[in-house]
Amino acid sequence: MIEIASGARTEPSTRKNRARAAAGVALALILALVALWSAQRLLSTDLLSQEVAAQIQRATGLSTKIEGRTEFRFLLRPRLIIRDVRVADASGAIRVDAPEVIGYLRLLPLLVGRFEIGQAVLYHPKFYARLDRAPAGPGGDIQQAANAATDDFRRLQAPLGTMDIVDGQLRLATKKLASDIAIDAIDMRASWPRLGASANFAGRLTYRDAAVRFQGWLEQPLEILRGGDSASVFQLRSDLLTFWTSGHLSGGPKVEYSGSISATAPSLRTFAETIGYSFSKHGTFADLALSCDVDVAAGNATFTNLTLRLDGNDYQGNLEIQNVTHSPQISGTLASDFLDVTPFLTGVREPAVSGGLWSRKPLDLPQLDLANLDLRVSATRLRLYDLEVHDAALSLLAKPGMIDLSLAEATANNGAIRGRFALTEKDHVFDLRVSGSGGGIDLQPMVFEGERPLTGSLDASIRLESSGQDVYALMQGLSGVAAFSASNGSFNGVDLIQTLAHANGRKAGEKLDTVPGATSYDHLTLNLALAQGVAAISDSQISGPNLQLGLAGTIDMGRRQLDILSLAEIGESAGKTTHTTPARFELKGPWSAPRFFVGPANLVLPKSTPQKDTLPATTMSPPPAQE
């Protein structure tokens, strides 16, 4: 009974206390609202501008100037409206111009008379940055917190907030570029609630008419400012490129990064040209897919466990880029089970033009403005048009003004081949050097002028050089040597025995009608000495069933003309005896459609020297050093 009575007596007292507390809170809120309303009415624009500028400068360490009005609005959501804000560092490396900024205030600090912006919205801001200048300034609260002890809990809990950018612009300038890098239509939100918390950002922008979406996350951004590292994730999506990376980002004098990346692009050329890099006009360079581990430190980058797909070709290997930001030097090794080079040559200008002459248009390789490249590629199978090479080991060296491609070894059409191609440029004049050799090569799959004119097994060796501004000049200037030896094959398209049989009793210079068919041979040798684009034929013979002939004359590489002389012996078997008939002929005209003519009666070929068992060596000295 006492407890019940006691409870009855205390219940009205508790209710009264609660009512008083509620009334006190309500009165406090009313007084605060009145004070805020009064502040909205009484605070001067200059005073507000000075306070806001001081807060920004304390937080960032950057010089802040407010040239427009600053207004305090309380209704709906307390906020400051700031117009014409300029923030910059002392060196001019960073500058932000914002026509309008709305700073949304935290309510509790506001109730005790302190302005504390929890969210800032920048409308149509313009950001300027000079990449070749280091920011200078005394450092603000953020930098001071970065320099403080890592266990300073009070500083780690210091509130920051959220920043929104609406329709912003970014201009990046550097002495290396004639014009600024322009990024437009930036809409994004960045959130860093406290110094000791993680940060994230997401948004979209436009770069050279390409729409890009991006987002990222930093686990410990404060550690990056302290020179330490933080886990990070970044993703970029557009019609040109999809890119994702996850790893650890380190701060300090030089930024370092270690992690993994993946990227896909419908066209590598389109992406490269969009971001301002020159790219080969030849080839498709389509369907890029890349994934690897990456380490970036001291201006260098290494890509390991690389898996690359481009133009339907798959590669695995490692790459390294030294001096990434200045003069990149790329080196590495790649391996592929199957490499089709044909797509890389799509769009290459035909070397010959209508009329059967070489093109005189300047080579579209102006100044060979190439990156420094040292690349080794091995391919189990390598295809170029109809030619397929197995077990190829390629070496590609390139630098401004020079490209050097070597095939150390490979098997092609059941034979072994090797070769080297070097091209240098100075003052728009190209120097060309080509060498190569091969043995046991099946001729049947090889195409010449759109046809397959030969079969047999070929051994060959060439060593050529030239210079000029276009294909015609290069062919006109060819000099060097070439030797070919083939066996057990045939010429397709002409029956040489039947064609020469019609020469009997004909006058010199008369045209011989070509008899379609094929001509078999047991052995063929062709030795050429080239000077100023004209190849002189010497020590050359063809032997086969019922046919023996020697060859002399010239092949004009510049004009694509043949002027070949031949003395032949045609054999006819009658029982156990063989009767031979001499024949002389000339093969003249464009090499795409030459004609046979009866040779002069006094035709004498130069004496042949004994044939060597081996072909000429094809060693070639390195291209001259670029001045």
Side-chain angles (χ1 to χ4, degrees):
M1 295 294 296
I2 298 175
E3 292 179 359
I4 295 174
S6 175
R9 287 195 299 270
T10 58
E11 185 176 12
S13 176
T14 302
R15 290 177 180 175
K16 290 180 181 179
N17 292 337
R18 291 175 180 172
R20 292 192 192 98
V25 171
L27 180 60
L29 287 175
I30 292 172
L31 292 175
L33 291 174
V34 170
L36 292 173
W37 180 82
S38 301
Q40 176 178 321
R41 304 281 295 180
L42 300 176
L43 284 176
S44 69
T45 295
D46 292 341
L47 183 61
L48 286 172
S49 297
Q50 292 173 8
E51 176 62 21
V52 171
Q55 284 196 26
I56 296 175
Q57 187 158 341
R58 281 197 304 269
T60 64
L62 301 176
S63 173
T64 304
K65 185 176 182 181
I66 299 176
E67 298 178 347
R69 291 175 53 84
T70 300
E71 301 176 22
F72 171 54
R73 302 284 178 84
F74 175 72
L75 295 179
L76 299 180
R77 186 178 178 186
R79 63 199 180 277
L80 293 173
I81 302 176
I82 313 161
R83 293 182 173 85
D84 296 330
V85 182
R86 170 169 290 192
V87 180
D89 76 319
S91 69
I94 301 172
R95 192 180 90 235
V96 182
D97 295 337
E100 182 178 359
V101 177
I102 296 181
Y104 292 98
L105 303 174
R106 291 190 173 96
L107 183 59
L108 292 181
L110 186 61
L111 292 177
V112 296
R114 188 173 73 250
F115 289 126
E116 191 174 289
I117 297 175
Q119 179 186 3
V121 183
L122 284 65
Y123 290 94
H124 315 295
K126 295 182 179 179
F127 299 85
Y128 301 90
R130 293 203 60 89
L131 302 180
D132 45 16
R133 294 183 185 177
D141 292 341
I142 297 177
Q143 187 60 51
Q144 291 176 13
N147 297 332
T150 57
D151 58 353
D152 189 338
F153 181 79
R154 183 183 60 82
R155 286 189 180 275
L156 293 178
Q157 295 303 310
L160 294 176
T162 301
M163 181 178 70
D164 294 315
I165 296 174
V166 179
D167 192 23
Q169 297 180 359
L170 173 63
R171 297 295 181 265
L172 303 175
T174 176
K175 294 179 180 179
K176 295 181 180 180
L177 300 177
S179 59
D180 295 348
I181 299 173
I183 300 175
D184 300 303
I186 303 173
D187 294 314
M188 67 170 289
R189 166 168 289 188
S191 178
W192 188 4
R194 296 180 308 280
L195 281 172
S198 62
N200 63 81
F201 57 89
R204 60 188 179 185
L205 55 83
T206 300
Y207 178 67
R208 296 190 176 183
D209 298 325
V212 180
R213 289 185 174 274
F214 60 91
Q215 60 183 15
W217 171 81
L218 296 171
E219 183 182 33
Q220 291 291 333
L222 185 60
E223 289 302 315
I224 297 176
L225 297 177
R226 287 172 168 167
D229 69 87
S230 168
S232 63
V233 177
F234 178 73
Q235 184 177 11
L236 182 150
R237 291 173 296 171
S238 72
D239 292 339
L240 297 176
L241 176 73
T242 299
F243 177 84
W244 176 89
T245 181
S246 174
H248 282 262
L249 180 65
S250 301
K254 292 186 177 180
V255 175
E256 298 181 359
Y257 183 75
S258 177
S260 59
I261 63 174
S262 65
T264 60
S267 170
L268 181 58
R269 175 193 288 109
T270 303
F271 171 70
E273 290 175 345
T274 300
I275 63 176
Y277 284 89
S278 59
F279 205 82
S280 170
K281 296 181 176 64
H282 310 141
T284 56
F285 294 94
D287 300 324
L288 169 71
L290 176 150
S291 64
C292 66
D293 297 326
V294 61
D295 285 284
V296 180
N300 303 324
T302 58
F303 303 88
T304 55
N305 302 318
L306 174 67
T307 299
L308 173 67
R309 182 175 179 83
L310 183 64
D311 276 328
N313 299 314
D314 294 305
Y315 310 85
Q316 295 83 36
N318 302 308
L319 292 175
E320 180 178 3
I321 304 178
Q322 296 182 337
N323 204 6
V324 174
T325 57
H326 294 89
S327 301
Q329 299 178 6
I330 305 171
S331 61
T333 58
L334 294 174
S336 177
D337 291 333
F338 175 72
L339 175 58
D340 189 355
V341 183
T342 306
F344 296 115
L345 301 177
T346 300
V348 173
R349 180 185 299 158
E350 291 290 337
V353 296
S354 58
L357 300 177
W358 297 111
S359 172
R360 296 198 180 192
K361 293 183 179 180
L363 291 172
D364 52 354
L365 300 171
Q367 300 179 359
L368 282 182
D369 190 12
L370 303 170
N372 290 286
L373 183 65
D374 182 358
L375 191 62
R376 305 290 190 270
V377 180
S378 60
T380 305
R381 294 169 55 209
L382 184 148
R383 178 180 294 166
L384 174 60
Y385 297 107
D386 292 329
L387 176 65
E388 187 163 302
V389 175
H390 295 260
D391 301 323
L394 295 167
S395 170
L396 176 61
L397 294 172
K399 62 182 180 179
M402 186 273 283
I403 182 171
D404 190 330
L405 178 64
S406 296
L407 177 63
E409 59 181 355
T411 58
N413 298 343
N414 301 318
I417 62 171
R418 63 180 60 192
R420 183 176 175 188
F421 170 91
L423 186 66
T424 59
E425 181 272 339
K426 184 178 180 181
D427 298 330
H428 303 287
V429 175
F430 294 87
D431 289 323
L432 172 68
R433 297 186 180 194
V434 180
S435 69
S437 63
I441 303 168
D442 184 4
L443 285 169
Q444 195 278 331
M446 300 183 69
V447 178
F448 181 77
E449 294 287 334
E451 303 290 339
R452 290 185 170 89
L454 295 170
T455 65
S457 179
L458 173 69
D459 296 338
S461 173
I462 62 171
R463 185 172 68 249
L464 303 173
E465 59 183 39
S466 183
S467 64
Q469 292 183 318
D470 51 46
V471 175
Y472 177 78
L474 288 173
M475 299 304 291
Q476 283 278 69
L478 276 177
S479 62
V481 294
F484 305 92
S485 175
S487 60
N488 302 321
S490 64
F491 302 96
N492 297 320
V494 57
D495 186 332
L496 193 56
I497 293 177
Q498 293 299 319
T499 299
L500 295 181
H502 297 162
N504 290 332
R506 307 282 292 274
K507 295 181 180 180
E510 285 190 44
K511 177 184 174 183
L512 294 174
D513 292 331
T514 301
V515 178
T519 303
S520 299
Y521 65 87
D522 297 324
H523 191 70
L524 176 153
T525 59
L526 180 63
N527 294 286
L528 306 176
L530 290 90
Q532 298 303 310
V534 178
I537 303 173
S538 63
D539 299 332
S540 301
Q541 301 92 26
I542 300 175
S543 62
N546 300 322
L547 180 66
Q548 300 285 329
L549 59 83
L551 300 173
T554 60
I555 303 174
D556 192 328
M557 306 297 292
R559 294 181 174 83
R560 299 162 60 94
Q561 295 281 326
L562 299 179
D563 189 1
I564 298 176
L565 306 174
S566 177
L567 285 175
E569 290 185 352
I570 303 172
E572 288 185 64
S573 298
K576 295 182 178 181
T577 61
T578 300
H579 176 70
T580 59
T581 302
R584 59 192 186 279
F585 71 90
E586 296 178 278
L587 184 61
K588 292 184 175 182
W591 65 33
S592 58
R595 300 290 181 87
F596 287 94
F597 299 89
V598 177
N602 60 349
L603 177 62
V604 177
L605 300 183
K607 291 184 179 181
S608 299
T609 58
Q611 293 297 304
K612 297 180 179 180
D613 293 333
T614 58
L615 295 170
T618 59
T619 56
M620 182 174 67
S621 58
Q626 187 73 14
E627 295 182 2

